[in-house]
Amino acid sequence: MTETRIPPAQAEARLPASPREHLTSPVTRSVLVIQNKMLAATRAFLAGRGFTELLPPIIGPVTDPGARGAKQVDVDYYGFRYKLMTSAILYKQAALTSFDKIFFIAPNIRLEPLETASTSRHLAEFHQIDIEMAHAGRDDAIAVAEDLVKHVVERVLTDLPAELHALGRDAGALAEVLTGAFGRRTHATAVADLQAIDHDQSPDAEIDWVGEAKLSQQVDRPFFVTDYPKGSRGFYDKENPDQPGMLRNFDLIAAEGYGELCSGSEREQDYATIVSRMRETAENPAKYAWYLQMLRDGVPPSAGFGLGLERFTRYVAGLDSVWQASAFPKVPGIASP
């Protein structure tokens, strides 16, 4: 892999010298065996809960605008300016006009800021386990996310102990996932917790990457952060009617310092409200014509989430960096196959 633009001191540590070195590594093989088990377990779990798997779009006239500092990639689609998907959230909502419960294993492209090459948690190309449920609320989505994570971890612990041992993963620490309910704390509480340890976290923004890691280091089991302030997330996160200014959303934070695994919310589906929210966030509603027409014609209320596959794999396998959870890693700023 040829390094470009990033000074060597800032580049992600221990990148493989070549695709062959990475693909033939015993570590990579064990990781991908675990990831394959995780995908099989995910599909089995969701099928058992009545979900239908759909194939996600890779390009579209618009994509999720709320990709936290990342740039979108434009492509020429027969003379039209289309985007590579940073998230299929808009398409998940649309799909509920056909099925009540759907999921994607969705590829995403985000040109992350160069500084994310050293966070151990960012890729420019990654996959999400994307889930959406009609006539569901935030707590329904949280319950599915928790049950899914527990199911996948249990399958790996039961079926692949040798692979975990080969990677040096502390199976006892991972087994803590199965010992009880995941905790919850509000965004305001998480901010106060961070400020109490002298981390300067803004109360009006998402928990920053360092803050997520600090919170994650303090727990033995994953937990949810809920109720982010309006303006910190995308226009599709529903505002709480009983708490104006608060969103009906959540993140799932892993234990052991691994940080965020998953983001989700109850969705806004009212046409006029979405247009107003778009304008509040400086988005041009005209760009979203097909999506707004879907809303105008009616889509069901829903809730859902996206669970980062490579981040989830990193946590389960106990890896130093998320690039190790991809057969063909694309680290921000690093030119690679």
Side-chain angles (χ1 to χ4, degrees):
M1 296 185 178
T2 303
E3 186 173 318
T4 60
R5 296 198 297 164
I6 299 180
Q10 298 176 18
E12 180 64 31
R14 297 189 293 120
L15 281 170
S18 68
R20 176 176 292 277
E21 178 185 311
H22 181 55
L23 290 168
T24 58
S25 164
V27 170
T28 302
R29 186 187 184 283
S30 290
V31 170
L32 296 181
V33 167
I34 288 171
Q35 189 175 86
N36 183 69
K37 174 65 66 174
M38 293 171 67
L39 284 168
T42 294
R43 288 187 162 104
F45 172 86
L46 293 173
R49 293 286 184 97
F51 285 82
T52 298
E53 181 175 5
L54 302 180
L55 299 177
I58 299 174
I59 64 172
V62 289
T63 186
D64 177 6
R68 201 172 179 176
K71 293 182 180 178
Q72 300 174 359
V73 179
D74 293 332
V75 296
D76 182 348
Y77 182 70
Y78 300 102
F80 293 91
R81 185 179 180 183
Y82 270 43
K83 305 284 187 182
L84 297 182
M85 286 296 111
T86 61
S87 165
I89 170 60
L90 307 182
Y91 294 87
K92 289 196 298 179
Q93 279 187 279
L96 296 180
T97 58
S98 184
F99 297 95
D100 283 343
K101 295 180 176 181
I102 63 98
F103 76 98
F104 303 147
I105 307 296
N108 293 269
I109 301 292
R110 297 181 186 178
L111 298 185
E112 299 283 358
L114 293 178
E115 58 267 25
T116 62
S118 60
T119 66
S120 300
R121 298 193 294 112
H122 289 84
L123 292 170
E125 179 183 74
F126 64 98
H127 296 78
Q128 286 196 140
I129 301 166
D130 260 322
I131 289 169
E132 200 73 15
M133 301 174 287
H135 308 291
R138 180 187 64 187
D139 289 348
D140 301 309
I142 283 177
V144 171
E146 179 170 339
D147 290 349
L148 172 60
V149 168
K150 287 182 174 180
H151 175 79
V152 170
V153 168
E154 189 276 332
R155 293 293 357 126
V156 172
L157 285 168
T158 300
D159 296 347
L160 298 176
E163 302 295 348
L164 293 173
H165 179 73
L167 293 171
R169 179 57 163 128
D170 183 345
L174 186 60
E176 281 292 319
V177 171
L178 310 178
T179 62
F182 294 174
R184 288 198 201 187
R185 67 184 83 174
T186 66
H187 176 271
T189 299
V191 169
D193 292 342
L194 287 169
Q195 290 177 345
I197 57 173
D198 297 323
H199 180 74
D200 187 20
Q201 171 63 50
S202 168
D204 301 316
E206 290 188 291
I207 306 298
D208 62 39
W209 301 315
V210 174
E212 286 174 0
K214 288 178 180 291
L215 293 173
S216 179
Q217 289 164 356
Q218 297 175 350
V219 296
D220 298 323
R221 192 179 308 121
F223 69 95
F224 294 99
V225 177
T226 65
D227 303 297
Y228 282 73
K230 184 181 178 183
S232 66
R233 289 307 243 302
F235 55 72
Y236 40 75
D237 282 14
K238 191 175 186 68
E239 187 174 3
N240 190 334
D242 299 322
Q243 292 180 284
M246 295 296 176
L247 300 173
R248 296 278 297 165
N249 60 1
F250 65 91
D251 281 351
L252 177 61
I253 308 296
E256 304 176 75
Y258 287 95
E260 180 206 319
L261 298 179
C262 166
S263 289
S265 75
E266 201 167 310
R267 313 301 189 189
E268 181 57 68
Q269 92 283 357
D270 178 72
Y271 169 83
T273 303
I274 285 283
V275 170
S276 176
R277 292 279 298 279
M278 284 179 173
R279 288 173 174 154
E280 288 173 3
T281 55
E283 283 293 319
N284 179 6
K287 295 193 308 182
Y288 296 86
W290 77 267
Y291 171 69
L292 291 174
Q293 187 60 51
M294 292 287 296
L295 297 182
R296 193 192 294 271
D297 293 339
V299 299
S302 68
F305 59 86
L307 174 61
L309 175 61
E310 287 85 359
R311 286 187 181 184
F312 191 16
T313 304
R314 180 193 174 215
Y315 173 50
V316 171
L319 305 175
D320 292 333
S321 182
V322 70
W323 69 259
Q324 296 171 291
S326 174
F328 305 99
K330 302 292 192 302
V331 175
I334 307 295
S336 58

